[in-house]
């Protein structure tokens, strides 16, 4: 379960980083245009890191994994998989 979750989280982070695009030029204005997307990525990456760390601490306390725990883990991974969408949305329409 832990290895599967790590793999899913790695894919989620990869999808998020693929949303970062190079600036259209080498000017400050070109770089400035991608700042909201970059900030959204950094915040999402930190969020993922916190949850990944907490997940490892939680899993290390388990003596065995039941079906119920697998379903809870799958539920958690579903919501985590929506993070790239939220990241792109926040980067496109910053608050």
């Amino acid at each position: 379960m832990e290895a599967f979750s790590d793999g899913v989280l790695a894919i989620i982070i990869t999808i998020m980083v693929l949303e970062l695009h190079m600036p259209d030029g080498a000017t400050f204005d070109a770089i400035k245009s991608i700042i909201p997307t970059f900030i959204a990525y950094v915040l999402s990456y930190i969020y993922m890191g916190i949850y990944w760390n907490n997940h490892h601490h939680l899993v290390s306390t388990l003596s065995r994994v039941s079906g119920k725990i697998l379903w809870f883990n799958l539920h958690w991974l579903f919501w985590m998989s929506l993070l790239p969408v939220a990241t792109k949305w926040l980067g496109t329409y910053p608050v």
Side-chain angles (χ1 to χ4, degrees):
M1 179 184 79
E2 189 173 13
F4 175 74
S5 298
D6 286 350
V8 171
L9 294 178
I11 291 168
I12 291 169
I13 290 171
T14 302
I15 291 169
M16 285 189 328
V17 79
L18 290 175
E19 291 297 326
L20 291 177
H21 300 289
M22 286 183 38
D24 292 330
T27 64
F28 182 71
D29 287 334
I31 294 171
K32 195 166 73 170
S33 69
I34 67 162
I35 288 176
T37 305
F38 182 72
I39 290 172
Y41 171 75
V42 169
L43 292 173
S44 295
Y45 190 88
I46 291 168
Y47 177 81
M48 291 287 296
I50 290 167
Y51 272 89
W52 173 75
N53 195 356
N54 289 340
H55 186 264
H56 274 279
H57 286 293
L58 179 68
V59 171
S60 70
T61 65
L62 297 174
S63 57
R64 67 180 198 85
V65 177
S66 67
K68 189 174 183 178
I69 290 173
L70 289 174
W71 281 108
F72 280 132
N73 191 64
L74 196 58
H75 180 261
W76 174 72
L77 287 173
F78 169 77
W79 291 108
M80 293 300 288
S81 72
L82 294 176
L83 194 60
V85 176
T87 302
K88 183 169 177 70
W89 186 30
L90 183 61
T92 304
Y93 306 105
V95 180

